[in-house]
Structures are given as structure tokens and as C-alpha cells.
Amino acid sequence: MLIKTGIKELVEFVLKSGDIDNRFTGSDRALLGSKIHRQLQKQGGKNYSAEQSIVLNIYEGDIDYVLTGRADGIIEDKNGVMIDEIKTVAVRLENIDDTTYPSHWGQARFYRYAVAKDKNIDEIKVRLTYYNIDTDEIKRIVKTYSIKELGDFVLSVLKQYRRWAIFEHQWEKERNADMKRLSFPFDNYRDGQRSVSRRVYRAQRDQKRLFVNAPTGIGKTMSVLFPSLKSIGEGNVDKIFYFTAKSVTSRRAVNACSFLYQKNDNLHLKFLPITAKDKMCLNDTKECNPVACPYAKGYFDKINDVVFNEISNNNFFSAETIIKIAEEYKICPYELSLDLSDWSDIIICDYNYLFDPQVKLQRFFSGGGDNYAFLIDETHNLPDRVRDMYTATLSKKEVLKVKSKFDKSNKKLYSALNKLNSCLLGCRKQLEENKINHLVRQNPPENIDGAVDRFLTNCSEYFEIHKGEKIDEDLLNLYFDVRFFQKISEDYNDNYVTVYEKSGDELKIILFCTDPSDIIDEHLKMGRSAVLFSATLSPETFYRETMGKDGDILTVKSPFPQENLGLYMMDGISTKYTDREHTAERLCEIINTITERQKGNYIVYFPSYSYMNMIKQKYTEIYQKELVIQNPYMNEKERKEFLTEFENKSDILAFCVMGGIYGEGIDLTGDRLIGSIIVGVGLPQINVMLDAVKDHYNSDGKDGFAYAYQYPGMNKVLQAAGRVIRTDTDRGVVVLIDSRFSQPKYLKTMPSHWNHIKRINNTDKLKIELSEFWGK
């Protein structure tokens, strides 16, 4: 039996113990780690060989292990050979000795044993180099082991791992056999599905990136999921990650996997949807440490036995199932879901688990590429999401809030907060003197690095002194915000601007990511292949440019009869901000004309809540009709109730906003929705940030306004229009209302299957056209 795995992953898995305690650590250490490693490796001298590949072939019983790793450094000089492992920490170095982190020494011992066998020598030293990320202090601990001691240790770890190795080997064998013989779960492919499936399979086989621009309704979820499973069967892919922008799209992926189970008895396929941490938490205080949360205490002492039991008996782990398991064993459900993901074949999760530097799944994406298939749903959302993930903000208001909680008895921390506040105050005064509220600069902020470093150092000392106590939540939040701000400052490049924003007494310094394409490209390379798909990747060049500039594009025609969609453009009315008041009554008349001509469920989409509420007031005054209104603060229950209205009634007129939770991703098939009325071209409100995006692309020779405003706006229009026709039997109308829709630059963003759109200038003509459509 052959088992291949990483040394670091193996050792950490077997030797982990103790509590969950992320009060002072978090992912920020990982963000800084690689840079610190490079610095220390350069300082190692001529005898220091950095990043040395390690391969250890060893038998344990009937299992042949091929264990791989990468030593941070190997030092060979007149004193012999020494393995060096570098670890970044946020705890005082005087509190670290050779018993503090067993997994660190375990990893180093594996490396030392591999090198000793390779070089056929017995005397090799092991050195752990600890670097404190807040104080820049270094501590080195050196130990010497005999080769017998190391061999005994390695075998003891492998014996503990044995049951997992046997399970993994048997599962992969049975799973791959099932995937090879897996057949498409429907009687026939829809138009376009077969071509998508073929191209997805080829992309994964050939390790390529593929953009799929396919209209709503062809069944994109199964079109990309099915060939990915076949890729597992052929050994091209080890694990599938299905990334989504919203929970509603993740449910589609879950339903697709569940359908495969229904069609195939005893299918060997494990899938896991990862639910957001806040939704999974069983603790009232939402604090992840053994002091505040009983589900964090002793977690790592229990988890391996729990996981082995569950993966031996279950294939699908819903949020409800995971919470039930967590309550039974009194362990954290969110961390349990992450540990179960190691043994899952399909992981369904939000974009941030790949792209967000503070949230991403380090267990999968902290190193180089692997045999992962990335399936990225609703891809049109990705550039804006990643832009937000890599934008850092420092707020004077938040600094003052924390400062007010500490007096001069905490002299160092109080002084550091005061210094940080003074820097922000100086920025605010500069804006006030120039009588401006915003200032955009191409360079990172000056004269603040010292205050940031000082705060982080003194904050870390404060945490260490008060370890084991409850730490103020606002202080923790500020610590991580400042840490992230420091990280982005260090990585600042031409794809960033610095925005100074004043509002009253508040001053924010924002390190704003104008162009996320390099970041997206870097993260997509962490998988074997990436398939990025959406119904609205138009224009295609824009989306490829903003997502790494690499990859083939497949465009699929609509499979639905064109005559099922009545498509109309009312371009004789302006919905621009300055015209909204005096065109409001006419807009109400158009809405009423459409909804009166054929009774049924309609959604009117607006570019903003303020515009929506203005028309709502006018419409109810004139027509005295009941409306269903989207509220910006709806909770999960209210959102479901909103959609349930469309299930139970047949005469709903709903007002919603474009780009919101009801603007994309919802499936209201048949008579549940027969019309979308789209008011305006969806342009986001002009603001400093988007103007910075515009300027960035202008400087690159592109149409900055289109990249920042027009294309994202029209995407919202296309998504809203796509809510109407969901199956080949659906019939409905889409009416676009705005004078700009007939302009060439907007017409060219419309999909080819919209070539039957009709321009109408008055309600009388609209009545005739609608009567003709519904009369067919």
C-alpha cells in the first residue's frame, strides 16, 4: 500500500493537542511568515542552503510511505550538518522552550531523519529559529538526536497515523472506481451542457483555466461538477472546491451533489458545505479561546477520534449535522467542519476561503499548487469581492474607542494608542486645512509606520501579560485591523492607492486595491485547474482582464426558445439622478401598464434603495396597490419569507435593488415570476474609490469609466433580466427603462440572444406589444 503525504501536515495532524485559542495569533502570522523566512535565510551565510526539498521513503508494517517536505535551511560547515526550521510567533520568546510546540520539533525531527539517512551520517543537529513578529526578536534552540531516537520517533508517529492511511487508501480506491463508472444523472444533456462538460474536463486534464459564459438555465452547476468528478476517477483531480458568492448559489451545488446520491446507490463521494463561522458558533460571546468558550477547551485532544468516527459512517455533512456532532462531543462546530474538509471530496464554500488573506483555508492554500479543481460560480462577483478582501482601513474612531478604555496605568499601550491617534489627527488636519473631505495618493501613507509598529509591539506585550484573561473585544479587533493594514502596506504596489477620508471627526486611511487581477491570478494557480462560470461574463475581455488575464473562453448560446422572452427597451425616459423627480410619474405609469396587461408576479429592479423608495411612495399614491419591498436589513428568515410570497401568490409586485440578494441567484420558475422591469443601467453611485479604479484603467490605456462603472452596472441589469426565463417552458417579459440603453456602448454589452429586443417610446405601443406577446 503506497501513501504519499507531506511531513508537516502529517506531524501536525498526529501531534496536535490542547485548546483552540486564536486570541493573539490568527492568520496574520501566515501573512508575514514567508517574508520573514526569506529575510532570515539571506542572513544564514554562504553555508546556508535555503528551501531544501526533503523526501523520506519508509515502511511501517505493510504501508510504503513517501513523505515530502521542504526544510527552511540546511547548514553544512566544519561543525557538521544542522537542520534549521523557522517559525514566526506572537508570544514572548522567553516563554518558549523545547517543549512549547511539539509539532515544530516533530517536523524538524522528520527532516533530520530523512537527511541523516540520505547522507548516511548519525550526527545532525536540529535548530528551531523563533521570530517574534511584533518585536523582531529571534530565539534559536538547538538539540541533537541519535538516529535511533529519530527512527523510533518517526515510526511511532506513523503507527498513530496507520488507521488514517488505511482508510484513505481504501476510500480513494472505491471512490475513484465509482467516479469512473459515474454516468450523467439526467436522461439527456440540455443544449450547451455537453460542450461545457467536455471543455471543463479538458481544462482539468490539461491544467488550464477556463471561463464559461453560459446563459441562465442550461444547468451550469451539473455541467461543471460532473466532468470534475470524472477527473477524480481518472486521477487528474484529488479534490473539488466549489466556490460561491452567496449562500443561495451554494445551495444549488449542495442540491446537485444530493441529486447524484439519489441517482447512484452507495456512491463513494463525501461532500461538505462550509458555513460561515458566525452562523455555526454555539457560544454566545463568539470568542474562540478556552476562557470564554467551553467548545474551544480541549478541542485538539478530542478531534481526531471524532473525525475518524464520523468519516467512517457519513458521506454528507450538512451544517445541521455538524452542529449536532459538536454538541454531542462539546467541540467547536466550525473548526469541526474545517477538520472534516480534509477528508471530503467536494468542498462547497464562499470565495473568501481561497482568496481572503485573513480567512482562507491555510491547510489547503498556504503552499504551492495541488491537484485541486476550482469551480467558481457567479464569477462576475469575484473582482469586487477580492478588491474588498485586499483593501485595508485604519479608523481614528476605532482607535479612540479603544483608547477610552485604557488609562495611563497601562502606560505602554496607552502611549502607543495616543501616538497612533496623533498620526490620524494630523491627516485629518491636513484635509481640513485644504477644505476637502477626500484625498487620493499613489503612494502608501508616510510617517505612520512607526506608530503602527509601536502599537502592535505593545499590544502583543499586553496580550502576553494578560494571557488567560478575557481580552477586550474592541482591542482585539483593532489589533487585527492594524496588523492587516501593516501587511497591505508592505505589499503596496501600482495596483493600490491611498485614500484619506474625512467625515466629521472621523478620519480613515484606506489602502484601496484598484486592480485585483494579479491577486486573483496568484490564487487560481494554487489549483490544478480553475473553471470560472457565470451567465453574465459580458464583455468577456473585461472579465478576463480583471481576473488574471489568462484562460480560454467558452461562450454558450441560450438553449431556450427566443419567442418565450418578450424583450423591450423603453429608451424615451431618463432615470439619471438629476431627472428622477420629474420622470417618476411616467415611470409609475410604465410599471402599471406592464403589470396590468398580464396578471402575475413581477419584480421591478432599481439601482438604489433611495430611488426605489421614492417610486414606491409615488406609485402607491397614484395606484393604491400593495407592494412587496426589499429591506436592506433583512435577516435570513425574512429573506425566505420574501421568496415564499412568490410560491403562494400569483399577483405580486415586488420592488428590489439590482445586485442585491434578489437580483441574482434566485430561481423563480414557471409562473412564480413572469416579468422583470429594470429601471436604469445599474451604474453604481460615483464615488472616490470607483473613480480611483477608473483612473487606474485609464492610465493603462483602457476605458476607465467602462471598467469602473458601466460594465459592473450592466452586469446587474443582465442578472436581473435572467431571473425570468429559468427553464425551457418559462415565458415572461423583460422591460429595460432608460434612455442610455440604446446607446452603442450599452448595446454592445448585451448578449447575442437579445437580438430580438424591441425599442418602444410610449405606453400605447407597449400595451400593443405586450398584448401580442401574451396573446400568443
Side-chain angles (χ1 to χ4, degrees):
M1 183 191 308
L2 178 64
I3 296 293
K4 297 180 180 181
T5 189
I7 291 172
K8 182 175 185 290
E9 292 75 18
L10 170 68
V11 172
E12 289 182 347
F13 178 80
V14 173
L15 299 184
K16 60 189 174 186
S17 62
D19 312 317
I20 297 171
D21 193 347
N22 58 4
R23 285 173 289 186
F24 325 126
T25 54
S27 60
D28 54 293
R29 285 222 316 263
L31 297 174
L32 297 168
S34 58
K35 183 173 290 188
I36 292 167
H37 276 55
R38 290 192 295 270
Q39 291 173 356
L40 294 179
Q41 286 164 343
K42 285 181 181 178
Q43 297 169 11
K46 63 180 182 180
N47 296 318
Y48 193 104
S49 299
E51 300 298 325
Q52 293 297 296
S53 295
I54 301 288
V55 179
L56 175 60
N57 295 285
I58 188 169
Y59 286 95
E60 192 283 306
D62 56 347
I63 302 176
D64 182 9
Y65 283 98
V66 178
L67 306 175
T68 57
R70 186 174 292 274
D72 291 327
I74 297 179
I75 305 166
E76 293 191 64
D77 55 24
K78 62 182 181 180
N79 297 316
V81 182
M82 181 162 63
I83 302 292
D84 185 38
E85 273 301 295
I86 300 168
K87 303 297 180 182
T88 54
V89 294
V91 299
R92 286 183 173 183
L93 296 185
E94 56 263 35
N95 294 334
I96 296 177
D97 60 25
D98 61 358
T99 64
T100 308
Y101 297 107
S103 64
H104 294 175
W105 288 101
Q107 181 184 345
R109 281 193 271 182
F110 263 77
Y111 289 168
R112 186 256 186 248
Y113 184 64
V115 172
K117 287 188 67 177
D118 182 59
K119 295 182 179 291
N120 195 29
I121 54 178
D122 184 61
E123 283 298 322
I124 296 182
K125 295 177 182 178
V126 176
R127 184 174 80 185
L128 263 291
T129 299
Y130 288 101
Y131 182 100
N132 185 290
I133 56 176
D134 294 317
T135 64
D136 295 327
E137 294 176 306
I138 298 171
K139 181 173 185 176
R140 293 183 170 96
I141 307 173
V142 179
K143 295 185 72 172
T144 302
Y145 298 96
S146 72
I147 196 165
K148 182 180 185 309
E149 286 178 304
L150 293 170
D152 291 344
F153 171 77
V154 168
L155 285 175
S156 72
V157 171
L158 294 178
K159 284 177 181 177
Q160 292 177 69
Y161 189 71
R162 180 178 179 80
R163 61 171 176 166
W164 301 93
I166 294 171
F167 176 86
E168 180 182 21
H169 177 78
Q170 187 62 30
W171 176 261
E172 286 185 0
K173 181 180 176 181
E174 294 172 343
R175 179 201 64 189
N176 291 0
D178 276 4
M179 295 306 104
K180 273 192 173 184
R181 57 176 172 260
L182 187 69
S183 58
F184 193 67
F186 299 102
D187 293 337
N188 298 294
Y189 284 90
R190 290 182 185 175
D191 290 345
Q193 273 190 314
R194 189 184 293 274
S195 62
V196 171
S197 291
R198 285 174 174 170
R199 289 291 296 275
V200 169
Y201 180 83
R202 289 176 195 162
Q204 292 166 350
R205 181 195 64 193
D206 300 335
Q207 302 184 56
K208 289 187 175 181
R209 195 175 300 173
L210 176 68
F211 291 87
V212 178
N213 186 13
T216 297
I218 75 159
K220 289 189 290 294
T221 302
M222 194 60 76
S223 298
V224 300
L225 191 57
F226 174 71
S228 302
L229 295 173
K230 301 299 287 184
S231 292
I232 287 180
E234 295 300 325
N236 294 330
V237 168
D238 295 329
K239 194 181 291 281
I240 299 167
F241 288 88
Y242 194 108
F243 296 106
T244 69
K246 294 181 172 70
S247 57
V248 66
T249 48
S250 70
R251 284 197 291 272
R252 285 206 299 257
V254 171
N255 291 340
C257 292
S258 298
F259 186 72
L260 286 168
Y261 277 119
Q262 295 171 19
K263 300 291 286 187
N264 298 271
D265 293 336
N266 301 315
L267 186 67
H268 289 81
L269 182 68
K270 294 186 186 297
F271 74 98
L272 167 78
I274 296 180
T275 304
K277 189 173 186 177
D278 285 348
K279 293 182 179 179
M280 296 288 281
C281 186
L282 298 172
N283 194 37
D284 294 336
T285 62
K286 310 289 191 228
E287 294 182 60
C288 302
N289 64 75
V291 176
C293 179
Y295 300 96
K297 191 168 184 61
Y299 176 86
F300 295 111
D301 299 325
K302 308 173 189 175
I303 188 58
N304 280 1
D305 286 339
V306 174
V307 168
F308 190 83
N309 179 64
E310 295 304 324
I311 64 172
S312 299
N313 295 288
N314 295 296
N315 287 343
F316 169 46
F317 297 97
S318 65
E320 294 77 15
T321 300
I322 290 172
I323 288 174
K324 184 178 179 181
I325 297 168
E327 289 176 327
E328 179 182 352
Y329 293 98
K330 214 169 185 58
I331 55 176
C332 172
Y334 178 72
E335 290 293 331
L336 170 61
S337 71
L338 300 186
D339 284 315
L340 286 168
S341 72
D342 288 330
W343 306 92
S344 300
D345 306 305
I346 304 174
I347 299 170
I348 302 164
C349 57
D350 189 89
Y351 293 162
N352 57 16
Y353 290 102
L354 173 61
F355 296 99
D356 193 325
Q358 302 183 94
V359 180
K360 72 179 181 182
L361 296 170
Q362 298 289 343
R363 63 188 66 209
F364 300 115
F365 309 130
S366 60
D370 216 322
N371 277 346
Y372 302 144
F374 294 158
L375 307 178
I376 303 178
D377 201 353
E378 305 289 5
T379 296
H380 57 274
N381 289 299
L382 188 58
D384 282 343
R385 282 288 304 276
V386 174
R387 181 178 284 120
D388 289 343
M389 292 172 193
Y390 283 81
T391 292
T393 301
L394 199 55
S395 163
K396 185 178 185 300
K397 179 181 177 182
E398 294 304 314
V399 172
L400 279 177
K401 185 199 294 186
V402 174
K403 183 185 170 188
S404 68
K405 297 183 177 184
F406 292 87
D407 56 30
K408 294 181 181 179
S409 61
N410 294 292
K411 187 175 180 180
K412 284 187 175 181
L413 186 56
Y414 182 85
S415 177
L417 286 162
N418 198 48
K419 179 64 175 176
L420 197 56
N421 182 61
S422 296
C423 289
L424 294 167
L425 181 61
C427 295
R428 192 183 74 189
K429 285 181 178 178
Q430 185 181 352
L431 267 62
E432 289 172 342
E433 288 169 0
N434 289 281
K435 298 181 179 179
I436 55 177
N437 291 323
H438 296 91
L439 183 64
V440 180
R441 288 285 183 261
Q442 302 297 321
N443 301 312
E446 300 175 355
N447 304 321
I448 198 170
D449 289 350
V452 164
D453 292 344
R454 182 176 173 184
F455 169 75
L456 292 173
T457 299
N458 288 298
C459 208
S460 181
E461 287 183 11
Y462 176 85
F463 291 154
E464 193 65 29
I465 292 169
H466 296 276
K467 191 172 184 178
E469 301 175 21
K470 182 177 173 62
I471 301 297
D472 182 81
E473 187 175 351
D474 291 329
L475 176 61
L476 277 174
N477 290 337
L478 181 63
Y479 172 77
F480 288 118
D481 286 346
V482 176
R483 169 70 68 198
F484 185 57
F485 187 89
Q486 182 191 59
K487 153 67 181 172
I488 297 299
S489 296
E490 292 174 348
D491 292 343
Y492 197 100
N493 56 33
D494 291 342
N495 293 329
Y496 277 88
V497 295
T498 302
V499 179
Y500 300 86
E501 181 180 88
K502 183 181 80 70
S503 176
D505 292 335
E506 170 71 307
L507 186 285
K508 291 181 179 179
I509 302 178
I510 304 167
L511 306 181
F512 178 65
C513 178
T514 54
D515 181 358
S517 58
D518 289 343
I519 296 168
I520 294 173
D521 182 61
E522 175 190 344
H523 285 78
L524 292 181
K525 288 176 181 176
M526 293 178 180
R528 177 187 179 92
S529 169
V531 178
L532 304 97
F533 54 102
S534 170
T536 54
L537 294 183
S538 177
E540 294 164 346
T541 52
F542 162 68
Y543 285 101
R544 183 159 63 178
E545 280 285 335
T546 54
M547 285 186 275
K549 307 177 181 65
D550 182 35
D552 298 328
I553 298 176
L554 172 65
T555 300
V556 182
K557 294 181 180 179
S558 173
F560 304 131
Q562 198 174 63
E563 60 270 20
N564 283 9
L565 176 66
L567 187 59
Y568 311 101
M569 180 196 302
M570 298 286 292
D571 63 345
I573 177 173
S574 172
T575 70
K576 291 181 179 178
Y577 184 80
T578 53
D579 298 326
R580 289 175 182 176
E581 286 284 353
H582 69 261
T583 60
E585 192 167 324
R586 187 168 174 223
L587 176 57
C588 291
E589 180 190 3
I590 294 171
I591 294 170
N592 195 62
T593 297
I594 298 165
T595 56
E596 284 293 308
R597 191 53 38 183
Q598 178 73 18
K599 296 295 184 184
N601 294 339
Y602 294 83
I603 297 179
V604 186
Y605 290 100
F606 295 87
S608 69
Y609 281 103
S610 59
Y611 192 16
M612 180 186 76
N613 290 326
M614 184 184 82
I615 299 301
K616 168 205 167 188
Q617 184 175 350
K618 179 70 70 174
Y619 189 86
T620 52
E621 284 176 3
I622 298 173
Y623 298 104
Q624 302 295 313
K625 291 184 178 179
E626 185 178 346
L627 302 175
V628 177
I629 305 292
Q630 179 182 349
N631 185 306
Y633 307 109
M634 285 176 159
N635 58 36
E636 195 71 26
K637 180 183 177 183
E638 290 168 333
R639 292 175 183 179
K640 290 180 180 178
E641 289 173 349
F642 184 96
L643 290 176
T644 302
E645 291 280 302
F646 291 86
E647 301 274 357
N648 300 330
K649 297 181 181 179
S650 58
D651 58 348
I652 294 172
L653 178 56
F655 280 13
C656 297
V657 292
M658 281 184 262
I661 53 175
Y662 305 118
E664 60 179 87
I666 59 171
D667 284 308
L668 298 172
T669 55
D671 293 336
R672 292 190 292 168
L673 183 69
I674 66 167
S676 284
I677 303 166
I678 302 169
V679 182
V681 293
L683 298 184
Q685 188 173 358
I686 291 175
N687 61 66
V688 173
M689 305 298 184
L690 291 182
D691 277 349
V693 174
K694 179 187 70 175
D695 293 342
H696 171 82
Y697 286 107
N698 278 338
S699 68
D700 200 28
K702 300 180 176 65
D703 185 343
F705 178 80
Y707 273 58
Y709 291 98
Q710 182 196 343
Y711 295 157
M714 276 301 292
N715 192 282
K716 296 176 186 176
V717 170
L718 299 178
Q719 282 289 330
R723 298 313 97 207
V724 178
I725 304 297
R726 311 296 295 176
T727 72
D728 54 7
T729 59
D730 287 357
R731 295 188 76 237
V733 298
V734 171
V735 183
L736 310 179
I737 305 173
D738 193 283
S739 56
R740 291 166 286 187
F741 279 120
S742 57
Q743 295 176 8
K745 66 179 180 180
Y746 285 95
L747 287 172
K748 73 177 183 180
T749 64
M750 295 181 184
S752 59
H753 60 274
W754 277 19
N755 60 5
H756 66 303
I757 193 168
K758 295 184 178 181
R759 293 177 62 185
I760 300 171
N761 291 320
N762 59 73
T763 52
D764 289 336
K765 176 65 173 172
L766 181 60
K767 289 178 184 177
I768 294 170
E769 289 290 344
L770 291 172
S771 295
E772 182 179 337
F773 174 81
W774 290 117
K776 289 180 182 178

